[in-house]
Amino acid sequence: EGLKAHRLVSIGVRTSTVACDTRTPLSNMSYAARVPRTTHAARSPRNRVGVANRPARILKAQSADTKSQSGAKGAANASSPKVDSENALMLYEDMFLGREFEDMCAQMYYRGKMFGFVHLYSGQEAVSTGFIKNLRQDDFICSTYRDHVHALSKGVPAREVMAELFGKTTGLCRGQGGSMHMFSQEYNMLGGFAFIGEGIPVALGSAFQTRYRREVLQDESADQVTMAFFGDGTCNVGQFYECLNMASLYKLPIVFVVENNLWAIGMSHFRATSPSLGDKEPFIYKKGPAFGMPGHRINGMDVLECQKYALDAIERARNGEGPTLIEAETYRFRGHSLADPDELRDPAEKAKFAARDPIPAFKKYILDNKIASEEKLKEIEKKITDTVEDSVEFADESPLPARSQLLENVFADPKGFGIGMDGHYVCESPGFTEGMSRV
């Protein structure tokens, strides 16, 4: 128990007897005893190892288009435009849902309710909310292994996402996808992808079929936009450049969103990516003009700035003007995954970004501008708390998949592999778990 508590504190989770004791069944626990907000996370008590990172940048938006690659300041700045009450409350509710859901995931993981690697999105909610909430349900998104909140922002019910994380049949993919492979045909979420860069070609294909349907098949309803999400580390792999080239060549309706949280697992962005000629540090957004599309570097901790650039990019894509590359600088408040003790990042850097937490910052904006009352925000928070707790109860009570499901959706021709000579699934054999190599 002491070792568990030490590791929990190391990755930024305040411990308690309930949070650490995995032996207590969920039915005997209060779901209200949740992990606290990740922005108030404890710093690692151990000495930081590795190479010091550069100071965290405080951003103003910058843009680069096909005429200029100088990185001149864009239209958005620190004073974001005011928003109406309905829009503001929608943005706040979605960000709060993302944070509450991920904090609950951390607690369920440590209670042994989830397995494998679980990568949380805490800290980056302004990007998911600011971009995805401006899409229609028939628009498409492609995510990464950090995909829970993207699914929630796209409208997937919290129950289905949590049940998938629990590996239950009521989950989004009947428990077969797990944390890193959220997929929904109903909500046009084309999946989370465990390997970096894998989702970008899929997103490109989605955008291609939209234009093909509209221009070749004369389908006037084909005006969907596809949004591809990926991190700064992905921008150094080949698929990224190939897809930028093809998207621009065919003027495809796609928005490339780089969630630059400055770290590719434990590799600093400043050590992994070379600067452009004349720059002292790397800027991913400047790669857009090289392929004939506008690029913007924005504050990914500001939901209003994210929304502003999302609306512009979506409009361009839907109007047939082609792709846009957005570099949203953001920060994750936890380690790479829940198995990561997060010792490589400088505590000063983490503290600087924690002070820019997008959720309390937007809450302050709402109250300062009298957009909504504190009572209204508390009402929303209570609603989200109940939703997340309900999702856990639903997932915990849902049935596990039958053994017969084990080999479904694995082989294109399941009769050649998953079904025995007697016509039944091999995995239904009583001795299936014995002598696996022989089977």
Side-chain angles (χ1 to χ4, degrees):
E1 292 301 324
L3 178 60
K4 288 179 184 177
H6 181 66
R7 287 182 59 78
L8 286 169
V9 173
S10 296
I11 63 168
V13 180
R14 187 182 307 160
T15 60
S16 68
T17 303
V18 171
C20 292
D21 191 353
T22 57
R23 297 166 297 180
T24 307
L26 282 177
S27 58
N28 296 338
M29 293 183 181
S30 168
Y31 291 99
R34 299 185 316 282
V35 175
R37 303 282 189 275
T38 47
T39 52
H40 306 302
R43 305 303 168 199
S44 173
R46 287 173 277 189
N47 292 330
R48 186 177 60 90
V49 297
V51 181
N53 185 29
R54 293 181 183 231
R57 298 177 296 198
I58 304 298
L59 284 182
K60 287 188 177 180
Q62 294 183 334
S63 301
D65 56 29
T66 54
K67 297 180 181 178
S68 170
Q69 300 185 37
S70 62
K73 293 180 180 179
N77 51 47
S79 56
S80 301
K82 289 187 177 181
V83 293
D84 60 59
S85 176
E86 182 180 1
N87 183 44
L89 294 179
M90 178 272 294
L91 296 175
Y92 183 75
E93 179 173 330
D94 192 66
M95 284 200 294
F96 195 81
L97 171 61
R99 181 68 57 85
E100 287 288 296
F101 189 91
E102 296 293 70
D103 283 349
M104 182 63 85
C105 284
Q107 189 157 347
M108 294 301 105
Y109 180 85
Y110 294 124
R111 290 180 183 177
K113 293 296 180 178
M114 299 176 187
F115 305 93
F117 288 100
V118 176
H119 306 82
L120 299 188
Y121 196 76
S122 306
Q124 302 181 201
E125 295 89 353
V127 181
S128 179
T129 297
F131 279 87
I132 297 177
K133 296 309 287 185
N134 295 289
L135 294 172
R136 304 189 315 224
Q137 182 168 329
D138 65 335
D139 288 330
F140 299 88
I141 68 168
C142 264
S143 185
T144 66
Y145 45 76
R146 210 177 298 278
D147 57 354
H148 315 159
V149 177
H150 289 161
L152 294 171
S153 292
K154 195 62 172 68
V156 180
R159 279 186 163 195
E160 295 183 26
V161 180
M162 189 65 78
E164 185 62 33
L165 286 160
F166 274 49
K168 300 298 184 69
T169 56
T170 53
L172 205 52
C173 302
R174 301 189 303 159
Q176 288 184 272
S179 172
M180 296 188 281
H181 300 286
M182 299 286 171
F183 172 88
S184 172
Q185 181 176 357
E186 179 182 356
Y187 292 93
N188 281 355
M189 180 171 182
L190 301 178
F193 294 84
F195 287 90
I196 63 170
E198 279 187 327
I200 310 179
V202 175
L204 189 80
S206 168
F208 180 85
Q209 63 84 23
T210 296
R211 187 175 181 202
Y212 185 89
R213 283 169 45 222
R214 187 172 186 85
E215 298 193 7
V216 177
L217 303 181
Q218 300 296 303
D219 182 356
E220 294 185 0
S221 67
D223 66 342
Q224 294 79 18
V225 172
T226 299
M227 205 167 269
F229 292 88
F230 47 94
D232 48 287
T234 300
C235 297
N236 293 323
V237 301
Q239 298 102 310
F240 171 63
Y241 296 97
E242 293 177 35
C243 292
L244 287 184
N245 179 66
M246 188 172 176
S248 185
L249 187 66
Y250 295 146
K251 297 190 74 173
L252 299 182
I254 185 169
V255 181
F256 298 100
V257 183
V258 185
E259 297 190 77
N260 184 358
N261 60 26
L262 305 181
W263 289 87
I265 307 181
M267 174 60 72
S268 167
H269 171 57
F270 301 103
R271 293 183 60 201
T273 305
S274 59
S276 300
L277 192 64
D279 289 333
K280 293 183 179 180
E281 57 183 80
F283 296 107
I284 298 171
Y285 78 102
K286 290 189 176 183
K287 302 181 190 296
F291 291 93
M293 70 181 73
H296 307 286
R297 173 172 167 256
I298 68 172
N299 181 2
M301 308 294 274
D302 182 342
V303 67
L304 293 182
E305 189 166 308
C306 289
Q307 184 181 56
K308 169 185 164 52
Y309 278 88
L311 289 170
D312 291 343
I314 292 168
E315 183 179 11
R316 286 191 73 256
R318 214 180 296 282
N319 290 341
E321 298 175 43
T324 303
L325 175 63
I326 306 286
E327 178 186 3
E329 190 171 84
T330 182
Y331 204 75
R332 51 176 165 80
F333 291 158
R334 294 180 182 266
H336 174 67
S337 74
L338 287 176
D340 175 15
D342 196 16
E343 295 177 322
L344 295 176
R345 299 188 297 174
D346 190 334
E349 176 186 282
K350 291 191 279 188
K352 180 173 286 189
F353 277 98
R356 297 171 56 197
D357 189 331
I359 297 176
F362 191 55
K363 182 176 184 177
K364 183 177 184 301
Y365 174 88
I366 291 174
L367 295 175
D368 288 350
N369 288 276
K370 298 181 175 17
I371 297 173
S373 66
E374 189 162 1
E375 289 70 24
K376 180 62 177 178
L377 297 183
K378 287 181 178 179
E379 180 182 322
I380 290 174
E381 292 167 4
K382 176 63 166 58
K383 169 188 170 185
I384 295 304
T385 297
D386 293 343
T387 297
V388 172
E389 292 180 356
D390 171 74
S391 74
V392 174
E393 293 178 2
F394 174 78
D396 196 42
E397 294 168 0
S398 294
L400 289 166
R403 294 179 68 194
S404 59
Q405 188 182 313
L406 184 61
L407 296 180
E408 291 182 18
N409 304 318
V410 176
F411 302 105
D413 179 14
K415 291 185 179 180
F417 296 91
I419 298 180
M421 296 298 293
D422 58 357
H424 295 93
Y425 281 103
V426 174
C427 62
E428 293 178 337
S429 168
F432 176 70
T433 57
E434 301 175 5
M436 290 298 293
S437 60
R438 178 174 55 81
V439 173

